[in-house]
Amino acid sequence: MNRNDKGENQMIAGMLIATLIVVLSFFLMPYSIPVFFIILFGLVFSTYLKTRQMSEDIKQIKGKLGLLSEEERTDLGIQAYRRLHQDSEWMSNTNQEIEEELEKDNENGRSNRNKK
């Protein structure tokens, strides 16, 4: 699927959502304004999340091409350090849990052998 097909699909989806809003507002007359604002909030929030993801992707691309400003390099470095630190903490916790399970299994295996 190329970009033109994707844009066309998004436009069709937008038209379907707009049609749905019109139909809902007709059937839910007293509730049409709250429904409209709820749907509008959802659309704005979705757009915000997509924009934020695109911004992060652009920063990564700039970083690989060496086009970052000093401030962006610092921000990316701090984010990478945090991710690395969180990953290492998670790995050490996971390793500790695995070791505890193995010790329990090992002890259970010994007790089962002694019973035989």
Side-chain angles (χ1 to χ4, degrees), residues 18-43:
T19 304
L20 179 67
I21 291 171
V22 169
V23 170
L24 279 176
S25 66
F26 180 73
F27 288 114
L28 304 171
M29 276 298 181
Y31 305 108
S32 61
I33 293 175
V35 168
F36 171 75
F37 282 115
I38 290 169
I39 292 172
L40 182 67
F41 174 78
L43 291 173

Side-chain angles (χ1 to χ4, degrees), residues 11-94:
M11 189 170 75
I12 291 171
M15 289 190 309
L16 288 174
I17 290 172
T19 304
L20 179 67
I21 291 171
V22 169
V23 170
L24 279 176
S25 66
F26 180 73
F27 288 114
L28 304 171
M29 276 298 181
Y31 305 108
S32 61
I33 293 175
V35 168
F36 171 75
F37 282 115
I38 290 169
I39 292 172
L40 182 67
F41 174 78
L43 291 173
V44 169
F45 188 70
S46 172
T47 303
Y48 166 74
L49 291 177
K50 287 178 186 177
T51 304
R52 193 174 83 182
Q53 182 62 42
M54 285 178 17
S55 174
E56 290 175 9
D57 291 344
I58 289 171
K59 276 186 182 179
Q60 288 180 348
I61 291 169
K62 281 179 158 182
K64 290 189 186 238
L65 296 175
L67 302 173
L68 290 175
S69 67
E70 190 64 36
E71 182 179 318
E72 289 174 329
R73 269 188 238 146
T74 305
D75 289 344
L76 260 172
I78 291 171
Q79 290 174 2
Y81 175 77
R82 286 181 183 161
R83 269 191 238 117
L84 180 65
H85 186 65
Q86 289 172 348
D87 288 347
S88 64
E89 282 183 14
W90 178 80
M91 281 299 287
S92 64
N93 289 339
T94 304

